[in-house]
Amino acid sequence: MILKLKPGLSIDEINQLMDLFHLMNLRTVLQQTEVSTTVTITNKLAANAHPELFTALPAVLEVIDSEPQFKLASHISKNSKTTITLPHHVIGAGELTVIAGSCSVESSDQIFATAKYVSAAGAQILRGGAFKPRTSPYDFQGLGETGLQYLQAAAQEYKMASVSEVMDTRDVELCAKYVDILQVGARNMQNFNLLKEVGLCQKPIVLKRGLCATYHEFLLAAEYILHAGNPNVILCERGVRTYETYTRNMLDVAAVPILQQLSHLPVIVDPSHATGRRELILPMARAAVAAGADGLMIETHEFPDRAVSDAMQTIDPIAFSEVMQAVNKIHRALNDN
Ligand code: PEP
Ligand code: MN
């Protein structure tokens, strides 16, 4: 159940109401924006409580008791877009966010070289996996903590934020120590313990769409993180598994407007994992931005053929800079500036 509160309530009035809900054994989440304040009641008991009970409260403007299951992620509980403030960049506030870097952090020199050219081309966030979810146990599994240290140092040197995947609840604290944003990968989108754990941490989360996840399942995965107390979730469309084998996955461009219509969370697109093919990164990045994506995540390496993971989808510095120019042009045209 979602309660829209009357505009202009004082902090004391809101606190009194929250105290009352607490006494009523209701679990609540308060979401305040410049234009609205809502209280979402998240425990089952309340779902059966009568809406009239809440309508009668003087501070309550409207009671919505037929909200989607992803209450906190939905526009109904928060009608303005979530923005995520990093030291040098704000995600979801209008500027196109570009996360770029190699699939894996391979060495200090490699990630510094990558940070240098991606930041020069305009990317704000450096990516690099230190804990890698590989299909085969014989493939490179990542440098672990050392990789996180290299990533952090390179990002700091070039005034970028950093993102890296966390695969295990036991590593959340360790990853959060080194990076600005944690990533939950496609294979872990329904690892509910991991979602709850990253929900308790203070860092924003890039949540990637599961290999076969519906929008509903994707948004409920985000809901786990929001419900645990972390409001800063970025949804990442990275393609879904279909019968087609030419591409690694099938990029679902419609996910961008659909998720933006259903949710206030920023939506980014990863054309690298979505296609698995270098030559498709430019057109698919253009399509994502034209569809209104808040940002992109792109795999790039100084020497793509030497990349230890995902070489086939990794683009070189020149191709990366061409992508940046193309997407910035489209973004400017869409935003009339
Ligand atoms: C990644 O971004 O490094 C990755 C493994 O992506 P996904 O979880 O989307 O496959
Ligand atoms: Mn990869």
Side-chain angles (χ1 to χ4, degrees), residues 6 8-9 12 58 86 96 103 116 123-124 134 176 207 215 217 219 239 246 271 287 296 322 336-337:
K6 289 190 177 147
L9 293 177
D12 280 350
L86 304 166
L96 186 69
C103 181
K116 186 174 181 185
Q124 308 93 343
R134 304 307 302 281
L207 176 65
Y215 303 130
E217 289 162 343
L219 289 167
Y246 186 83
L296 295 167
E322 282 166 7
D336 259 343
N337 54 32

Side-chain angles (χ1 to χ4, degrees), residues 75-209:
H75 272 301
I76 301 171
S77 66
K78 183 176 177 214
N79 64 4
S80 67
K81 214 166 161 153
T82 288
T83 56
I84 297 171
T85 303
L86 304 166
H88 306 289
H89 175 64
V90 184
I91 302 173
E95 194 189 336
L96 186 69
T97 297
V98 179
I99 302 173
S102 46
C103 181
S104 303
V105 178
E106 299 173 7
S107 67
S108 173
D109 286 353
Q110 175 272 323
I111 198 72
F112 268 79
T114 305
K116 186 174 181 185
Y117 74 78
V118 297
S119 65
Q124 308 93 343
I125 304 171
L126 183 66
R127 66 151 286 151
F131 295 96
K132 293 303 302 174
R134 304 307 302 281
T135 301
S136 164
Y138 306 116
D139 288 339
F140 178 64
Q141 303 287 309
L143 295 180
E145 185 169 3
T146 309
L148 295 174
Q149 287 166 340
Y150 295 157
L151 180 70
Q152 183 190 45
Q156 281 174 355
E157 174 76 18
Y158 292 96
K159 297 199 166 29
M160 299 179 79
S162 57
V163 60
S164 199
E165 176 164 355
V166 59
M167 295 205 302
D168 193 310
T169 51
R170 292 168 296 187
D171 295 327
V172 171
E173 212 176 304
L174 176 79
C175 291
K177 186 172 144 196
Y178 293 107
V179 296
D180 301 297
I181 303 171
L182 300 183
Q183 177 171 313
V184 173
R187 289 155 195 80
N188 271 320
M189 190 207 81
Q190 285 190 318
N191 178 340
F192 301 113
N193 286 335
L194 183 60
L195 298 175
K196 286 180 196 168
E197 196 65 31
V198 297
L200 294 173
C201 102
Q202 307 293 314
K203 299 280 168 91
I205 309 298
V206 166
L207 176 65
K208 299 191 91 176
R209 183 178 182 183

